[in-house]
Amino acid sequence: EKAISLTKSIREEAITSLFSETLPRSLAIADLGCSCGPNTLSVVSEIVIVVEKLCQQLNCSSPEYKIFLNDLSGNDFNSVFKSLDSFKVKLLDEIIKSEMGPCYFFGVPGSFYGRIFPNRSLDFVHSSYSLHWLSKVPEGLDNKGNIYISNTSPSNVSKAYYKQFQRDLSIFLKCRAEELVEGGRMVLTILGRRNDDPCDTEYCCDDWELLATALNDLVLQVEK
Ligand SMILES: C[S@@+](CC[C@H](N)C(=O)[O-])C[C@H]1O[C@@H](n2cnc3c(N)ncnc32)[C@H](O)[C@@H]1O
């Protein structure tokens, strides 16, 4: 929630320049790694509010909104879908308080490390706190019983994770380059850190080590 509010002005700037440049009749917006919590709809309402205000200022008609919510297929899309009716009513009655363009929602299951939309079909891509999840654990590593980069990991482990991140991000960008229209916008929020230490607990969650210990204990019990 903090990341969503810290990045609000960046989204506003991006959607304002996108809309003002072309005054499109429809806007296709995708939230990648939407999960099932309230953040995805709060981003959607923020974007719709910005566009509706622009329409009033520029005296033009509202576009229709096509909202694509993407996550892995195991995501609980239904809990987001169940809240859509009340979301639309609240947005119209309490926030916008006048007419707004129609809003159509679509669930898009699948990994964003592959193509998930047709060519040039999206105007605006948003993704928050999702892109630092890699597509897979790097292959062929002996990580000494750790499940992530840890103080006891051999030095090639953090390099392998870094390479995997580079490969994944490059695939992500290539796919989105095909899916976005020319002049489309993308706002990505990724967890990062300010130093070279991948184990610095100020930036990285230290629960992984606890989880690794618990998992190793379980494995040992099976082996006994
Ligand atoms: C920490 S949640 C962020 C949820 C939401 N965007 C927010 O800001 O609250 C990360 C989400 O990314 C999704 N995710 C991770 N890897 C993904 C992938 N390869 N493709 C699509 N979604 C993915 C996870 O399933 C999870 O729902």
Side-chain angles (χ1 to χ4, degrees), residues 4 33-35 39 70-72 75 110-113 128-130 133:
I4 293 288
C34 63
S35 193
N39 285 346
N70 155 261
D71 208 291
L72 296 171
N75 184 54
S111 172
F112 48 53
Y113 293 124
S128 181
Y129 261 62
S130 303
W133 294 97

Side-chain angles (χ1 to χ4, degrees), residues 14-24 27 123-124 183-185:
I15 198 80
T16 300
S17 64
L18 169 71
F19 189 75
S20 318
E21 267 168 29
T22 52
L23 302 181
L27 266 181
D123 299 290
F124 188 81
R185 302 289 198 277

Side-chain angles (χ1 to χ4, degrees), residues 132-180:
H132 49 265
W133 294 97
L134 301 181
S135 64
K136 60 179 180 184
V137 171
E139 281 162 13
L141 281 181
D142 176 9
N143 197 356
K144 310 282 178 215
N146 297 299
I147 57 168
Y148 188 55
I149 307 166
S150 153
N151 286 317
T152 56
S153 297
S155 64
N156 65 334
V157 169
S158 63
K159 285 194 194 107
Y161 272 90
Y162 180 55
K163 285 256 171 276
Q164 186 64 49
F165 175 72
Q166 286 183 316
R167 272 196 295 271
D168 283 348
L169 188 64
S170 161
I171 290 170
F172 178 93
L173 293 175
K174 279 189 186 132
C175 292
R176 302 302 82 79
E178 303 284 331
E179 295 166 354
L180 271 163

Side-chain angles (χ1 to χ4, degrees), residues 1 36 80 106 129 147 156:
E1 210 181 323
C36 49
V80 187
F106 306 85
Y129 261 62
I147 57 168
N156 65 334

Side-chain angles (χ1 to χ4, degrees), residues 9-52:
S9 61
I10 296 170
R11 277 187 300 277
E12 283 179 356
E13 199 183 314
I15 198 80
T16 300
S17 64
L18 169 71
F19 189 75
S20 318
E21 267 168 29
T22 52
L23 302 181
R25 304 290 302 143
S26 87
L27 266 181
I29 298 160
D31 188 29
L32 308 186
C34 63
S35 193
C36 49
N39 285 346
T40 189
L41 293 185
S42 93
V43 168
V44 171
S45 77
E46 206 185 78
I47 292 172
V48 172
I49 290 165
V50 171
V51 173
E52 291 300 324

Side-chain angles (χ1 to χ4, degrees), residues 81-128:
F81 295 158
K82 277 181 202 153
S83 60
L84 286 180
D85 287 340
S86 61
F87 165 78
K88 287 189 203 170
V89 170
K90 198 170 162 212
L91 185 64
L92 192 58
D93 291 357
E94 289 176 27
I95 304 175
I96 295 193
K97 292 183 182 154
S98 64
E99 284 202 10
M100 59 174 266
C103 232
Y104 303 105
F105 284 84
F106 306 85
V108 181
S111 172
F112 48 53
Y113 293 124
R115 286 291 305 273
I116 39 177
F117 297 99
N119 284 336
R120 288 179 288 283
S121 58
L122 300 176
D123 299 290
F124 188 81
V125 168
H126 177 259
S127 181
S128 181

